[in-house]
Amino acid sequence: MGSFQSSTTDDVACAIDAAATAFQSWRRTSVGDRQRHIAAFLSLLKESREEIARIVTLENGKTIRESRAEVDSALVEGSYHLQQAPNFFDTASRKSTRDLTTWVRLEPVGVVGIISPWNFPMNVMCRKTLPALLTGNTVVFKPATFTPWSGIFMAGLFERAGLPAGVFNCVTGLGSSIGNAIIDDERVRALSFTGSTAVGKTIQARAAAHLTRTQLELGGKNALIVMDDADLPKALDAAVVAGFSNAGQWCTSTSRVLLQRGIAASFLTSLVSRANAMVVGDGVNESTDMGPVAGAKQYDDVSAAIRRAIDEGAQLAAGGESMPVPDDGYFLRPTVLTNVTPNMHAFREEIFGPVLAVCEFTTLDEALDLANNSMYGLSSAIYTTNVATAKRYVESIEAGLAHVNVHTGYKEPSLPFGGVKQSGAGLPENSETGLEFFVDRKAVYERLA
Ligand code: NAP
Ligand code: MG
């Protein structure tokens, strides 16, 4: 793909210096000024849609259609934040009693660190960076080591959009050195991180040294529940789309499919034939249904997880090594494992690949217990035509996202995006909380006459 620099910890210090200096003037700009910069950025992003989509596909492996969808999602979310920013600042309420006026002044926190994963190399950084900039903060961003090209391309768009020097800064390199250098600098007042739960925990512990505020969007083991009364073709689409898009590497991918016994056998037959019909290949071909997983480590980890599931007693209903894949990349078949039980790794651990673990249940209570039997709580879905069942699910599911007859990966920018339990911590992204994370609230008491 190319050669990309690896920043040093001195580069990180320089980037934070630049961000701290730029903050002194950027914080004083009006919301309208900042909106103009972000609008310029979004229109450049729109013009560059095909170019950045191609980079994401080459670097990450997802199909070109999935990469375009990633860019489109960044544009939709970006416009949402752009429009929300003035309303958000308007919420500061002013009250006067006799001689005392009180109000709340929203202020940017300062320099913020943004650390992003490789699975959505441009959208995740946008979802964090745009709210941070719109609220008057300056940013030091580190892309995943695996996807520096996407990160550097996005940094170039901010530069072309005419942001003042130092407002947005990009450093590259390993999380363990460059990421930590960002976290350890006490001038960085907030950290927004998306990645694995294991790394999220180390980041929160490290950030505690300076009481740095964190927003952590982490892993998931998202369950799709299919009831006997469900619209089965739609439920099947949900399993295939959210199970195998991006080769199962969405944080909100469906990874457990819980089937009520009445429909289990016929649903499985259809699921297996849909999985086996998918065209796996080079993501740049418009006709490819599923690209490779993102790299060698991902390939080895997912393959090992499939082998382990079989060793532990699960059955391979589709995928694994039962069908050929192109031999010039990290290709895996869409995989369906049946007879999975809660004690198995395949039930508990985020595999982050195109693997569906299937279990059966008899009652709704059992389904909810199975779904909630996880350290994670990011996304979830139920397919049912029964309103009471849907209501029970919405009330009982332990997840940040609850979908009724909608797949686990669906989201809209006006709703909070984040997980419960070990899927996340801090304020969710998107919605008003996406902006709220990046501000301090100053209580003002004024006696001016
Ligand atoms: P990861 O290994 O946790 O890495 C994420 C980012 O953190 C990368 O930039 C990484 O740098 C950096 N990093 C690694 N170790 C670090 C450390 N000790 N200190 C500071 N930074 C460090 O995650 P990933 O493998 O890129 O992405 C997959 C994971 O992300 C999955 O668990 C997935 O569920 C999760 N995810 C969650 C969401 C959500 O919104 N909830 C969205 C997308 C993905 P390097 O690249 O150098 O390792
Ligand atoms: Mg990783």
Side-chain angles (χ1 to χ4, degrees):
M1 307 287 131
S3 299
F4 300 93
Q5 69 147 28
S6 184
S7 303
T8 62
T9 51
D10 286 344
D11 294 331
V12 175
C14 271
I16 297 173
D17 285 344
T21 304
F23 178 62
Q24 294 315 326
S25 42
W26 185 247
R27 68 183 303 182
R28 290 195 174 77
T29 54
S30 67
V31 184
D33 271 350
R34 301 197 290 261
Q35 277 181 303
R36 274 189 286 285
H37 281 103
I38 300 306
F41 165 81
L42 288 172
S43 80
L44 284 171
L45 179 60
K46 199 168 177 185
E47 281 168 28
S48 318
R49 178 178 185 259
E50 205 53 34
E51 196 179 355
I52 177 69
R54 192 177 147 273
I55 292 171
V56 169
T57 287
L58 290 175
E59 200 170 45
N60 165 289
K62 68 176 75 175
T63 68
I64 188 72
R65 282 176 287 123
E66 289 167 339
S67 295
R68 288 182 195 123
E70 178 175 348
V71 181
D72 294 344
S73 168
L75 287 166
V76 168
E77 292 179 356
S79 315
Y80 168 80
H81 292 304
L82 186 67
Q83 281 155 22
Q84 277 308 104
N87 307 339
F88 177 73
F89 283 100
D90 275 348
T91 58
S93 54
R94 196 176 274 269
K95 281 192 202 120
S96 295
T97 51
R98 286 204 301 274
D99 60 337
L100 186 68
T101 299
T102 62
W103 53 289
V104 179
R105 185 179 145 89
L106 302 188
E107 298 186 343
V109 296
V111 178
V112 309
I114 290 177
I115 299 179
S116 66
W118 47 258
N119 69 329
F120 283 97
M122 56 79 58
N123 192 11
V124 168
M125 71 85 74
C126 285
R127 192 184 305 136
K128 298 171 183 304
T129 301
L130 301 185
L133 295 177
L134 283 163
T135 44
N137 302 276
T138 55
V139 167
V140 177
F141 162 62
K142 187 201 92 67
T145 305
F146 208 74
T147 51
W149 191 7
S150 308
I152 289 166
F153 183 88
M154 296 302 286
L157 290 186
F158 281 110
E159 196 169 11
R160 281 166 56 200
L163 250 69
V167 169
F168 178 88
N169 308 274
C170 177
V171 285
T172 53
L174 288 173
S176 51
S177 55
I178 298 311
N180 284 342
I182 297 173
I183 301 162
D184 289 345
D185 194 309
E186 67 180 317
R187 292 172 298 173
V188 174
R189 294 311 311 143
L191 273 167
S192 182
F193 167 82
T194 295
S196 58
T197 292
V199 172
K201 287 178 186 174
T202 70
I203 288 183
Q204 190 172 63
R206 234 181 150 100
H210 305 299
L211 294 177
T212 306
R213 164 185 319 182
T214 54
Q215 176 179 57
L216 308 173
E217 302 297 355
L218 310 175
K221 188 72 193 175
N222 312 303
L224 161 67
I225 301 172
V226 185
M227 304 298 292
D228 284 346
D229 60 27
D231 179 328
L232 294 182
K234 288 193 178 133
L236 197 60
D237 283 344
V240 171
V241 168
F244 303 133
S245 290
N246 214 351
Q249 301 162 122
W250 285 347
C251 54
T252 52
S253 289
T254 294
S255 62
R256 293 179 296 160
V257 178
L258 313 180
L259 300 176
Q260 198 166 18
R261 288 196 205 281
I263 50 89
S266 65
F267 188 90
L268 254 174
T269 307
S270 312
L271 179 60
V272 166
S273 65
R274 286 280 297 270
N276 288 341
M278 287 178 76
V279 177
V280 173
D282 190 342
V284 299
N285 296 338
E286 299 280 345
S287 57
T288 297
D289 292 322
M290 193 176 94
V293 293
K297 182 176 182 304
Q298 204 59 20
Y299 180 85
D300 291 344
D301 289 353
V302 177
S303 305
I306 297 170
R307 280 196 301 273
R308 185 174 199 167
I310 296 165
D311 289 345
E312 290 180 346
Q315 262 147 31
L316 189 65
E321 279 149 23
S322 61
M323 282 173 76
V325 287
D327 57 8
D328 54 347
Y330 300 111
F331 295 104
L332 287 163
R333 288 294 315 170
T335 297
V336 178
L337 296 166
T338 56
N339 291 349
V340 175
T341 52
N343 58 321
M344 294 180 188
H345 285 85
F347 184 94
R348 297 200 307 271
E349 286 178 4
E350 180 181 51
I351 296 175
F352 220 55
V355 182
L356 291 173
V358 180
C359 307
E360 295 179 21
F361 64 88
T362 307
T363 65
L364 175 61
D365 280 335
E366 247 183 87
L368 291 169
D369 285 348
L370 280 170
N372 289 338
N373 182 355
S374 174
M375 72 174 205
Y376 295 110
L378 185 53
S379 190
S380 65
I382 194 168
Y383 275 69
T384 180
T385 48
N386 182 312
V387 176
T389 301
K391 187 162 177 276
R392 274 278 313 290
Y393 154 82
V394 168
E395 286 164 1
S396 318
I397 195 74
E398 297 166 359
L401 282 74
H403 299 88
V404 177
N405 299 324
V406 179
H407 69 72
T408 59
Y410 183 78
K411 66 180 190 306
E412 294 190 0
S414 61
L415 270 73
F417 183 71
V420 300
K421 301 203 280 191
Q422 295 189 38
S423 285
L427 288 175
E429 295 173 336
N430 280 345
S431 75
E432 65 282 2
T433 58
L435 294 162
E436 178 75 44
F437 175 73
F438 293 107
V439 297
D440 286 325
R441 294 182 164 256
K442 183 182 277 176
V444 183
Y445 298 86
E446 275 178 351
R447 188 169 277 139
L448 283 176

